[in-house]
Amino acid sequence: KMLVEIITIGDELLIGQVVDTNSAWMSQQLNFAGFKVKQITSVSDDEQHIINALDEAAKRADVILITGGLGPTKDDITKNTLCKYFNTSLVFNEEAFKNLEQLFKMRGREVTPTNRKQAEVPVNCEVLQNKNGTAPGMWFEHEEKVFVSMPGVPYEMKSMMSDAVIPRLKGKFETPYIVHKTILTQGVGESFLSDIISDWEDSLPSHMKLAYLPSAGMVRLRLTAMSADADLEKQVEEQVKNVLPLIEKYVYGFDDDTLQSVVAKLLHQKKQTLSLAESCTGGYISHLITSLPGSSAYYKGSVIAYAYEIKEEFLNVSKFVLETKGAVSEEVVLQMASQVKANFKTDYAISVSGIAGPDGGTPDKPVGTVWIAIATPEKTFAKRFQFGTHRMRNIEVTAYTALNMLRKELLADNI
């Protein structure tokens, strides 16, 4: 296995001012290419700290990828530090300068003396041109190790990684075949899922590993296989085929599917429409649906009925029911779903009402109590759920649970 270490440079990462999304993306791309990421390290804008990190990384990994600290200002010290580490000096690179000039010309600006310095690179590096920015990348080979320094700006780094770094790494190193398959589940906990598939997991061959990736109301099962076998994908598909009968009722999709995309596909296929009446989720389900392009083909709209009077006025919910049963009740969500379906003239509707928290709970309706109703062309029904005490998590879990309830109805209506 070829081992890679990622080093991100910048005080802004260590104080939480900027979130390091680079490492996650790089790790994913490297993994797909057959490289194993051994470690991710974040260091400050300090020369000795960077040198120490490079020394340690070289002991662990074959390839060290560095991002950040290549800007034109005085706090960007990566280039000078690399010169010290490799015992070399900076030299003006004509090609890098031409790239710099072209970018500035496109923006209607002149290259300043400070920006001109970005065309200076260490003598012993190969320059990787930056198509989207002013700081070139730098490829070093030192004591049988590869060091690559790239900009920290995500879209600049991603382009450089995809177009230059990964192709060059694959040309230089032999890598194994690697296959990932992710099974997506909703409505079942991680430990319960683990118990169900325990025997199957124990029987996996040594070159396959299973990871449990829980999130709000969902668990992703990622099966990863790595070997020299060209038929690895077929082997993985066989294992997935073996486990599906055990967990089929919880599975909503695979790999990059989302609940909203699965629901969208089903509505699109059936040429049917959806409306929403949201209370505790405050429009979050609508947000998930409209985040998809083309959602106007099946999604008509929603009423975010947070207050009692809005539920009465716009969704015709009975004042008597609201006062006697409360907004978080079966009777209320049934009326909300039926009415929004009628008002928007849709085939299906979802309604939700709950106590998101952290306060507002009662002994019979504690925080996390949620009612979800689904209206179909034939019926309207509701179900009560008891989620947790964290407000945002309750909103997310409610949204995904509601979408999964609708998914099951759409599939049942297909039979």
Side-chain angles (χ1 to χ4, degrees):
K1 294 176 186 176
M2 300 310 303
L3 300 179
V4 180
E5 179 152 340
I6 297 169
I7 299 175
T8 59
I9 298 172
D11 292 342
E12 66 277 8
L13 301 172
L14 298 173
I15 63 172
Q17 190 177 32
V18 172
V19 176
D20 174 23
T21 58
N22 282 353
S23 296
W25 185 88
M26 290 167 74
S27 297
Q28 185 184 55
Q29 300 306 308
L30 288 161
N31 207 264
F32 289 146
F35 293 90
K36 182 177 175 61
V37 176
K38 179 71 174 175
Q39 186 164 317
I40 297 170
T41 304
S42 291
V43 297
S44 63
D45 293 302
D46 175 84
E47 183 182 90
Q48 197 55 51
H49 195 183
I50 295 168
I51 288 171
N52 291 345
L54 292 169
D55 277 335
E56 290 300 314
K59 294 173 188 174
R60 289 184 289 259
D62 307 289
V63 178
I64 296 93
L65 301 181
I66 308 149
T67 66
L70 296 182
T73 53
K74 290 176 183 177
D75 61 327
D76 292 304
I77 63 167
T78 301
K79 226 166 20 177
N80 287 320
T81 304
L82 288 170
C83 280
K84 184 170 182 177
Y85 184 76
F86 293 118
N87 192 26
T88 188
S89 57
L90 292 173
V91 63
F92 184 77
N93 184 277
E94 196 64 46
E95 196 180 348
F97 183 68
K98 282 179 183 174
N99 184 61
L100 193 69
E101 272 190 319
Q102 193 174 353
L103 277 168
F104 271 71
K105 192 175 180 180
M106 284 167 60
R107 296 169 186 172
R109 292 164 57 196
E110 293 288 326
V111 178
T112 66
T114 301
N115 285 119
R116 194 178 189 278
K117 286 183 178 294
Q118 290 194 280
E120 294 177 3
V121 297
V123 173
N124 64 330
C125 82
E126 289 183 60
V127 173
L128 304 176
Q129 293 303 334
N130 185 347
K131 296 177 182 177
N132 298 310
T134 56
M138 295 168 284
W139 176 291
F140 302 86
E141 294 191 15
H142 179 71
E143 295 179 357
E144 298 184 358
K145 308 282 182 176
V146 172
F147 297 77
V148 185
S149 177
M150 292 172 284
V153 180
Y155 78 98
E156 295 181 26
M157 176 277 297
K158 287 178 181 180
S159 173
M160 199 174 287
M161 274 287 287
S162 300
D163 298 343
V165 178
I166 288 179
R168 286 188 66 160
L169 289 175
K170 284 182 73 69
K172 185 174 179 63
F173 299 104
E174 282 188 30
T175 55
Y177 292 102
I178 185 163
V179 174
H180 297 284
K181 188 70 178 178
T182 306
I183 305 170
L184 308 169
T185 70
Q186 200 281 331
V188 59
E190 181 184 7
S191 57
F192 186 72
L193 201 56
S194 175
D195 289 341
I196 297 172
I197 64 173
S198 177
D199 291 343
W200 170 82
E201 187 177 356
D202 289 342
S203 71
L204 287 172
S206 59
H207 64 283
M208 293 190 192
K209 287 186 179 178
L210 185 70
Y212 294 79
L213 306 169
S215 58
M218 296 183 281
V219 180
R220 290 176 292 159
L221 297 172
R222 190 194 67 229
L223 185 62
T224 299
M226 187 184 290
S227 81
D229 297 337
D231 69 340
L232 199 57
E233 198 160 337
K234 186 180 174 184
Q235 294 175 37
V236 169
E237 290 298 337
E238 192 64 34
Q239 291 297 337
V240 171
K241 187 179 169 185
N242 292 340
V243 77
L244 277 181
L246 304 175
I247 56 173
E248 205 152 15
K249 65 179 177 178
Y250 303 114
V251 175
Y252 68 84
F254 300 92
D255 299 324
D256 295 326
D257 287 338
T258 61
L259 265 167
Q260 56 268 34
S261 70
V262 172
V263 165
K265 188 176 179 182
L266 289 167
L267 285 167
H268 210 277
Q269 286 171 350
K270 292 162 70 72
K271 293 184 170 57
Q272 292 187 305
T273 54
L274 173 68
S275 56
L276 302 171
E278 298 188 62
S279 184
C280 62
T281 48
Y284 188 69
I285 308 174
S286 303
H287 159 70
L288 291 174
I289 290 167
T290 56
S291 65
L292 299 171
S295 52
S296 59
Y298 48 85
Y299 173 66
K300 295 301 179 186
S302 71
V303 175
I304 302 171
Y306 215 64
Y308 272 41
E309 60 268 27
I310 304 301
K311 291 179 175 73
E312 287 178 53
E313 188 176 343
F314 290 94
L315 291 171
N316 208 28
V317 175
S318 159
K319 186 174 184 178
F320 174 77
V321 169
L322 280 167
E323 289 175 349
T324 56
K325 300 291 184 179
V328 183
S329 64
E330 180 177 17
E331 292 83 355
V332 166
V333 291
L334 287 172
Q335 289 185 25
M336 287 170 67
S338 296
Q339 195 60 47
V340 79
K341 179 175 174 287
N343 288 354
F344 285 72
K345 298 180 176 61
T346 56
D347 301 292
Y348 291 86
I350 296 173
S351 70
V352 296
S353 185
I355 304 163
D359 48 29
T362 62
D364 62 325
K365 293 178 186 177
V367 169
T369 303
V370 174
W371 277 96
I372 301 173
I374 305 289
T376 78
E378 292 82 28
K379 63 186 177 184
T380 305
F381 66 96
K383 189 173 179 183
R384 175 180 167 144
F385 296 89
Q386 191 60 53
F387 300 132
T389 57
H390 187 276
R391 184 178 184 83
M392 195 59 219
R393 189 174 178 86
N394 284 340
I395 289 169
E396 291 173 355
V397 176
T398 299
Y400 291 122
T401 303
L403 286 170
N404 201 34
M405 285 173 67
L406 176 61
R407 179 188 70 85
K408 289 176 178 178
E409 286 305 307
L410 288 164
L411 286 171
D413 291 350
N414 276 344
I415 297 168

